[in-house]
Amino acid sequence: MSAVSSTTSEYRKVGVCFFGVFFCYLLFGICQEKITRGDYGEEKFTYAQALVFIQCIFSCTVAKIIVKFVTKPKEDTTPAGLYAACAVCYTGAMVASNVALQYISYPAQVLGKACKPIPVMILGIFLAKKRYPPAKFACILMIVLGVAMFMYKDSKAEAGGSAFTLGTGEMLLLVSLTLDGLTGVTQEKMRSNHITDQHHMMYNVNLWSCYVLAAALIVTGQGLEFIYFCWRNPSVLPYLLAFCVTSALGQHFIFLTVVTFGPLTCSVITTTRKFFTILCSVIFFQNPMSSRQCLGTSFVFLGLACDARYGKSKQVAVAPKEKVEH
């Protein structure tokens, strides 16, 4: 009974993390759309770096308040260098992904980022010494293939000519995916080798990201331009606040997932979140689905079901050893 209750509790925690990420980033996306595509007269919003910067400052502040006055966890033993490496990889992946949009279509970018769990798993094995049961590989591949099949746009590929050229956009996407994998490696080392919790991780990763982005804003001059933009367009301020709040809440669930279940599970949740967002839109607005999308949907649900049944069993048994060794 204790094993059953433990498994049930684990599934419940995964469910809370998934729905937390899903709803927070659904609202986050709406706020982001309002900010980046709002009506500002003759102006357009072109301050992506500044937007990420204020997001990181807000999340960093919220995490620090929670650590200081609410949770008061044990002292964090993670080296500053590890947090710095995580922040550089995290912001680098984000920047490379956004810059890639200048060379490839958004559907192509989303399709490429759907493969995120694969580099997280592969680099985790080679650099973080993780071990996964064979069923885990099959489940992850099934989920990634299902998401890719569901999101792939035939018309976009046909309109763009050759679907297999490796240009600047595709190279940036590969860089982004590699940095995603390295982010997962650093996070795995934090949770396996050091004492940390989700808010310590949230605070330090955002703090170092602020350092990186602040340097970029100073070099490009975008910081002052962003302040002047907000001064000229005060209507954007409520959306900026909502954007920061939903981001901080979403990060709480993301870092909770990383600390509790590991970066691979987190990457699966963030990848399938986009799939479920589109699927909900299809269901609620009764948009037609192609046979390929139906097959992709089946793959995602089958992969998730198999992962819940077979993919975690061996990892759960290994986890106590890691804790005892430290």
Side-chain angles (χ1 to χ4, degrees), residues 65-234:
I65 291 171
I66 292 174
V67 168
K68 191 77 174 175
F69 301 106
V70 182
T71 58
K72 299 179 181 177
K74 293 180 180 178
E75 184 180 353
D76 189 8
T77 63
T78 307
L82 196 54
Y83 279 127
C86 182
V88 168
C89 294
Y90 168 72
T91 53
M94 201 158 34
V95 169
S97 178
N98 289 334
V99 175
L101 286 173
Q102 297 176 17
Y103 303 95
I104 59 176
S105 66
Y106 180 72
Q109 188 242 38
V110 171
L111 191 65
K113 292 294 280 185
C115 302
K116 179 179 174 179
I118 294 177
V120 171
M121 174 178 272
I122 292 173
L123 291 178
I125 291 170
F126 287 107
L127 300 179
K129 308 301 181 186
K130 287 292 296 180
R131 293 293 177 266
Y132 300 101
K136 190 75 174 179
F137 290 92
C139 296
I140 295 299
L141 287 173
M142 196 178 298
I143 292 168
V144 168
L145 179 61
V147 172
M149 289 175 66
F150 185 86
M151 293 184 173
Y152 183 74
K153 303 288 184 184
D154 293 313
S155 58
K156 295 285 182 184
E158 290 166 5
S162 175
F164 298 101
T165 57
L166 191 64
T168 303
E170 289 77 11
M171 290 300 295
L172 285 167
L173 208 52
L174 287 174
V175 169
S176 178
L177 288 169
T178 302
L179 291 172
D180 281 330
L182 292 173
T183 301
V185 169
T186 57
Q187 290 173 337
E188 189 60 54
K189 286 181 178 294
M190 289 178 203
R191 69 186 292 264
S192 299
N193 303 329
H194 305 282
I195 298 174
T196 188
D197 80 333
Q198 65 267 26
H199 297 118
H200 273 139
M201 196 180 288
M202 179 177 168
Y203 167 73
N204 285 284
V205 171
N206 279 287
L207 180 65
W208 282 96
S209 296
C210 285
Y211 294 152
V212 174
L213 290 164
L217 291 176
I218 292 170
V219 171
T220 61
Q222 193 181 108
L224 282 175
E225 292 174 9
F226 175 71
I227 292 171
Y228 293 145
F229 175 86
C230 293
W231 183 267
R232 293 189 301 268
N233 301 278

Side-chain angles (χ1 to χ4, degrees), residues 12-74:
R12 189 181 296 115
K13 286 179 183 176
V14 171
V16 168
C17 289
F18 173 79
F19 284 110
V21 170
F22 180 86
F23 286 114
C24 289
Y25 279 100
L26 180 63
L27 296 174
F28 172 85
I30 293 171
C31 295
Q32 188 177 41
E33 187 88 2
K34 288 285 187 181
I35 294 167
T36 57
R37 299 198 177 186
D39 183 9
Y40 306 113
E42 297 295 321
E43 289 188 276
K44 286 187 177 180
F45 188 92
T46 57
Y47 310 100
Q49 286 181 1
L51 191 61
V52 177
F53 178 67
I54 64 164
Q55 168 191 342
C56 289
I57 285 181
F58 188 89
S59 297
C60 179
T61 304
V62 168
K64 185 65 175 177
I65 291 171
I66 292 174
V67 168
K68 191 77 174 175
F69 301 106
V70 182
T71 58
K72 299 179 181 177
K74 293 180 180 178

Side-chain angles (χ1 to χ4, degrees), residues 257-270:
T257 305
V258 170
V259 169
T260 309
F261 302 105
L264 180 61
T265 299
C266 184
S267 70
V268 170
I269 287 177
T270 54

Side-chain angles (χ1 to χ4, degrees), residues 31 34-35 233-245:
C31 295
K34 288 285 187 181
I35 294 167
N233 301 278
S235 61
V236 76
L237 296 177
Y239 293 115
L240 283 174
L241 178 60
F243 172 83
C244 291
V245 170

